[in-house]
Amino acid sequence: MVTAMATIYHHRDTGHCQPILRIVILVAATATLGWGWRWGKAGPALAPLLVWILARTPERRHRFAAAAAYFLAGSIGLPQGAATFFGPGHELLGTVFWIASAILLALPWIWASNCTGTVIALILDAVPPLGCFGWLSPLTAAGVLYPGTGLAGLAMLLGLYAAIGARHRSLVAVTLILATVANLAFLPGNRPSVPPPGWIGIDTSIGPVSSNPWQAAMQRSAWLAKAQNSAREAKIVILPETIAGPWLPGTAEQIRAAIPARQIWLVGATAWVSGQRADALMEVSRSKTPNQPLFVSPFPVPVSMWRPWTRDGYLATWWEPVRTLTGVRTWVAICYDQLLPWIWIEAVVQSPDVVLAVSNDWWARGTKVAQIQRATTWAWVRLMNIEVLKAENHQGLRD
C-alpha cells in the first residue's frame, strides 16, 4: 500500500494528481511507515521504504514534510507519556517534545537528494546530538535485512541506502541479493535458540516506586516474592530498571537477605556514581551487597532524567562496556537506551554473548513505547545473532 501510494506521487507528468494531492499522498505514505512502529516488528521491517520514498522525492520541502510525518506518526505517544510521567497538565510539554523532536530529525533529510546526502541524513539522525532522541531510525533495519552479520550487515545496509540515494538499480539489486543470502543463512538451525543456562528475566507490574518508605518496602516485598518463586532453579536473575528505587543501605539489605544461596540478581536501581545519580543495574548475591553498579545507562531519557543544566540530573556515561558475568560476555540496554542506534552500535562493536533489556515503562501504558522498544531490541539482537533476556515493569497489565 505504501509503495503504491508513493508510486502515484511520483507520476508527476500524468496530470492525474494535483500538487496538493501529491503531497498528501507522500505524507500519508511516510506517516503509515511511522505508524508501523506501533505494530512492533513491522517498524524496522518497513523503515527502508522511508529511505526509498525520500530518495525519489525531488523537492526539499516535500522531503522535509514526509520525514516529519514519519517521525510524528511513530512517536505520537510522547504527549500522553509525558503527561503520565510528569503528572496531569503536562500534555503541552509532551506535545512540544513530540513536535520538536520530529522537526529536528526531519531536517537532515532536506539534503538527501543523492547518495551522499542520504547517508549523511541517516548518520546525523543516528549519532549525538540528534541521536540523543534518534528513535525510529532506518538503520534498525540492518537486523531485518542482514541478520547475524554484525558490523558487516550495518555496512551492507548503508550500501543499500547509498545505492537507493544514487538510484543505482544494479547496486540495489546486489545488496538485496546479499540480504536474501543473509536471511537464508539465518534459518533456525544456524542461530541460538536458548539464553545462557540458568539465566532468567523477571517482569513486574508494580507501577512507579512509591516515595513513601513504608509503601516502597511493601512493593519490594511483593516483587522479591515473585522473583523468588519464579527463579527457584536460576543462577542469574535479571530484574527491571529502577525497580528497587534509590540504592540505600536498608534497600540493599532487604534485597540481599531475600536472594537464595548461589544465585546472583541484577537489580535495577538509582545508584550514586561520583556524587551523581545513575540509572543502574546492581549485582547482588547472598554474600555481596555492592556500593557501585555493574552497569550504568549510557544515556538516560532526556529532561526527565538526563538534565545536565541541573545538579540533580542523572549521569550519562556515553559508553556501555561489555561485562563478563559467570563467564558470559554481557551487555545491557536500559530502557531509553533501547531506542537509540548509536548505543546499539556500541554493542555491535563489542560482540557480547547476551543482551539484557531492562525497562520501567509504567508511565507508557497506551503509548506503544514498550512495543517500539521491543521491536528495536529484536532487530539489533537479530543483527548480532545473540539472545536477549528482558525484564520489564509496567503499570498493571502488560501493554
Side-chain angles (χ1 to χ4, degrees), residues 341-395:
W342 61 275
I343 294 180
W344 280 109
I345 293 172
E346 293 179 4
V348 177
V349 169
Q350 298 179 81
S351 300
D353 299 324
V354 66
V355 165
L356 312 181
V358 299
S359 59
N360 197 336
D361 290 330
W362 61 266
W363 54 273
R365 187 173 185 181
T367 66
K368 304 300 182 181
V369 169
Q371 283 87 336
I372 296 172
Q373 286 176 321
R374 294 174 199 141
T376 306
T377 298
W378 165 79
W380 286 103
V381 168
R382 195 171 188 264
L383 177 66
M384 293 182 280
N385 193 20
I386 58 177
E387 279 295 318
V388 59
L389 285 164
K390 299 177 183 178
E392 303 172 343
N393 178 57
H394 299 274
Q395 177 74 58

Side-chain angles (χ1 to χ4, degrees), residues 135-364:
W135 44 64
L136 315 175
S137 171
L139 292 181
T140 310
V144 179
L145 295 176
Y146 305 102
T149 57
L151 280 175
L154 195 58
M156 285 188 282
L157 182 73
L158 283 173
L160 170 62
Y161 289 154
I164 291 173
R167 300 191 182 186
H168 198 301
R169 294 183 180 180
S170 297
L171 286 179
V172 170
V174 169
T175 51
L176 290 178
I177 289 171
L178 291 174
T180 303
V181 172
N183 276 274
L184 289 174
F186 197 69
L187 293 174
N190 299 323
R191 55 189 173 89
S193 57
V194 294
W199 291 48
I200 185 173
I202 304 292
D203 290 341
T204 59
S205 56
I206 66 169
V209 176
S210 176
S211 58
N212 181 289
W214 172 254
Q215 292 180 349
M218 295 298 291
Q219 286 179 322
R220 280 196 299 275
S221 296
W223 63 256
L224 284 170
K226 178 177 181 179
Q228 288 172 326
N229 292 330
S230 301
R232 295 183 184 275
E233 305 301 323
K235 297 177 182 177
I236 306 292
V237 179
I238 300 98
L239 288 150
E241 175 205 23
T242 61
I243 191 72
W247 193 251
L248 302 173
T251 301
E253 177 57 27
Q254 183 184 8
I255 294 171
R256 185 202 64 78
I259 298 176
R262 295 183 297 278
Q263 281 190 359
I264 296 173
W265 287 16
L266 301 180
V267 183
T270 299
W272 278 260
V273 177
S274 301
Q276 193 170 357
R277 288 190 294 177
D279 192 3
L281 277 188
M282 313 299 291
E283 180 188 357
V284 193
S285 66
R286 180 65 66 87
S287 59
K288 180 180 181 180
T289 306
N291 292 321
Q292 293 298 307
L294 181 64
F295 294 103
V296 174
S297 168
F299 193 72
V301 59
V303 181
S304 65
M305 298 178 77
W306 184 67
R307 299 189 298 270
W309 55 88
T310 68
R311 294 183 178 180
D312 64 345
Y314 280 68
L315 174 70
T317 64
W318 302 98
W319 173 260
E320 181 61 81
V322 165
R323 308 286 188 187
T324 300
L325 191 62
T326 65
V328 179
R329 300 183 73 255
T330 307
W331 188 84
V332 65
I334 300 179
C335 202
Y336 183 70
D337 298 335
Q338 296 169 22
L339 300 171
L340 305 180
W342 61 275
I343 294 180
W344 280 109
I345 293 172
E346 293 179 4
V348 177
V349 169
Q350 298 179 81
S351 300
D353 299 324
V354 66
V355 165
L356 312 181
V358 299
S359 59
N360 197 336
D361 290 330
W362 61 266
W363 54 273

Side-chain angles (χ1 to χ4, degrees), residues 24 36 55 86 155 248 260 283 396 398:
V24 170
F86 292 107
L248 302 173
E283 180 188 357
R398 182 185 177 94

Side-chain angles (χ1 to χ4, degrees), residues 55-147:
R56 292 170 58 85
T57 302
E59 296 185 38
R60 288 185 173 187
R61 56 177 180 160
H62 293 174
R63 285 197 299 273
F64 172 77
Y70 171 81
F71 291 112
L72 283 169
S75 59
I76 197 170
L78 276 177
Q80 180 180 338
T84 303
F85 187 92
F86 292 107
H90 286 85
E91 291 85 355
L92 179 59
L93 177 64
T95 301
V96 171
F97 292 161
W98 173 47
I99 295 175
S101 64
I103 289 174
L104 290 172
L105 290 172
L107 280 174
W109 294 95
I110 290 176
W111 296 278
S113 60
N114 53 37
C115 167
T116 303
T118 298
V119 173
I120 289 175
L122 286 161
I123 293 174
L124 287 177
D125 275 358
V127 301
L130 291 183
C132 291
F133 46 88
W135 44 64
L136 315 175
S137 171
L139 292 181
T140 310
V144 179
L145 295 176
Y146 305 102

